[in-house]
Amino acid sequence: MTPAPDAGWRLFRGDGEPRDVALPPAPPWRRFTPAWTVRPELPYLIERQHADVVNAALHLRRPLLVTGPAGTGKSSLARAVAHELNLGELLRWPINSRSTVREALYQYDAIGRLRETTLSRDRGEREPSIGTFIRLGPLGTALVPSVVPRALLIDEMDKGDVDLPNDLLTVFEEGVFDIPELTRLPEDIADVDVQTADHRGTVRVHQGRIQCAEFPVVVITSNGERDFPPAFLRRCVRLDLPVPDEERLRAIVAAHLGEDALREADDLLEAFLRRRAPGELATDQLLNAVFLRAGGVDLDAEGLLDAVLHQLTGAM
């Protein structure tokens, strides 16, 4: 049934009149919780042969390089693995053109240390520990030795500098790195507590070196925008996620929004499949459309469906 044009879903009317409105519940995938609470995990559907590739990477202790078009669930796979294996909070390293391995391992606030040291001396107080000014990055935190390995998502590797994959080779191969600012310290202060990327306290570093006990579960995503060097590919297990077919799309919608929403979404599914081939739509765009339909939104309104199922490539 198509909702009436004046259905109550229109929170913003564009008439300049302020009004008190109650925002409806957000979609399940757009709900956020404080860091200290447990976020309910959304179901992640994956074919058995693709799950087997994930298992191969786990057994081999190798990074999993996940490729595929946008919206195929590459980043969500890392969260699903961390959740199912009880590996704790997923560490994330989003890549951009300025990303470096050094910042992913650790960051040192030299200016902050100089300022605080000067103030402490002026007050006649003890100088703060150098560890106060060192914070491990997501990669560095993942390499901290622990009984259970951490899970790390390196998101959109192809967005980084062309040398970034090669810069990771030694870390991937040996699972160790040094913090030069700590290796230069005298032996009587060889143990220093530094902060971690997940803001959950500190870890003790001995003589400036961090060596993992278990190689972390590393998931690297790529949209296929650039080729990687053979030396990097050799150290990874590769998984290419295909775009989901109609049966898989129906299962995804039902898992996220329920069977009732799926029964009312045949026309949206047809529109999505019709537009996807030339426009490279993402699965979450279909979920957005079905969610709006289930909330009483008239997706037949002029331009609204086009706004939700817009192309991800080409000119806008």
Side-chain angles (χ1 to χ4, degrees):
M1 177 183 296
T2 302
D6 292 327
W9 71 273
R10 289 189 173 87
L11 306 174
F12 170 74
R13 299 178 183 270
D15 56 10
E17 292 293 329
R19 57 180 63 85
D20 294 327
V21 299
L23 288 174
W29 52 91
R30 292 296 298 167
R31 295 172 188 170
F32 303 95
T33 57
W36 59 86
T37 62
V38 178
R39 176 181 177 178
E41 283 297 323
L42 300 174
Y44 186 87
L45 304 180
I46 185 171
E47 297 286 351
R48 180 173 179 177
Q49 66 266 31
H50 299 144
D52 285 346
V53 177
V54 177
N55 285 307
L58 293 172
H59 280 276
L60 293 171
R61 305 299 200 274
R62 289 290 187 182
L64 179 69
L65 176 59
V66 187
T67 59
T72 51
K74 299 186 295 295
S75 300
S76 299
L77 175 59
R79 188 169 62 244
V81 172
H83 172 68
E84 285 197 21
L85 301 185
N86 284 324
L87 300 181
E89 178 186 352
L90 177 68
L91 297 165
R92 293 175 173 84
W93 180 21
I95 301 297
N96 58 50
S97 60
R98 300 178 301 279
S99 297
T100 64
V101 174
R102 161 71 162 71
E103 71 172 13
L105 291 174
Y106 77 99
Q107 297 180 18
Y108 172 52
D109 184 6
I111 296 177
R113 184 189 181 199
L114 177 62
R115 181 182 62 249
E116 293 299 321
T117 299
T118 301
L119 291 174
S120 297
R121 288 174 178 173
D122 292 343
R123 294 192 294 258
E125 300 173 354
R126 183 177 179 180
E127 296 179 10
S129 167
I130 185 175
T132 307
F133 306 97
I134 293 177
R135 182 180 297 280
L136 300 180
L139 177 57
T141 301
L143 292 172
V144 171
S146 60
V147 176
V148 178
R150 296 296 299 268
L152 169 67
L153 169 64
I154 304 179
D155 208 11
E156 297 192 323
M157 173 68 82
D158 43 359
K159 300 285 194 243
D161 183 82
V162 66
D163 292 326
L164 184 60
N166 283 327
D167 293 341
L168 282 166
L169 295 183
T170 300
V171 177
F172 280 174
E173 198 64 30
E174 301 180 5
V176 62
F177 72 98
D178 291 326
I179 302 176
E181 290 81 3
L182 300 184
T183 59
R184 294 192 291 262
L185 294 176
E187 296 219 358
D188 59 334
I189 49 174
D191 293 321
V192 177
D193 294 329
V194 302
Q195 303 172 77
T196 58
D198 53 10
H199 301 274
R200 294 196 173 186
T202 61
V203 295
R204 179 151 296 182
V205 180
H206 180 67
Q207 294 183 334
R209 169 161 288 200
I210 291 181
Q211 169 77 66
C212 69
E214 283 279 351
F215 190 77
V217 175
V218 179
V219 177
I220 306 169
T221 70
S222 168
N223 291 326
E225 297 178 2
R226 195 181 75 223
D227 293 332
F228 296 121
F232 176 80
L233 295 176
R234 180 171 65 82
R235 288 164 171 82
C236 300
V237 175
R238 184 165 180 173
L239 170 62
D240 188 30
L241 288 179
V243 294
D245 58 17
E246 180 176 351
E247 180 181 357
R248 175 64 55 175
L249 287 172
R250 289 184 177 276
I252 292 173
V253 171
H256 284 77
L257 297 172
E259 293 289 345
D260 290 342
L262 177 61
R263 281 191 286 270
E264 300 295 328
D266 284 342
D267 59 326
L268 297 178
L269 185 59
E270 291 175 6
F272 179 85
L273 292 171
R274 185 173 63 251
R275 296 168 181 231
R276 182 172 66 177
E280 295 185 10
L281 300 180
T283 303
D284 57 354
Q285 291 176 280
L286 173 62
L287 290 173
N288 290 339
V290 177
F291 176 81
L292 290 174
R293 167 70 61 77
V297 177
D298 179 14
L299 287 172
D300 295 327
E302 183 178 358
L304 186 53
L305 185 60
D306 290 336
V308 177
L309 298 183
H310 62 84
Q311 293 184 0
L312 300 181
T313 61
M316 297 295 292

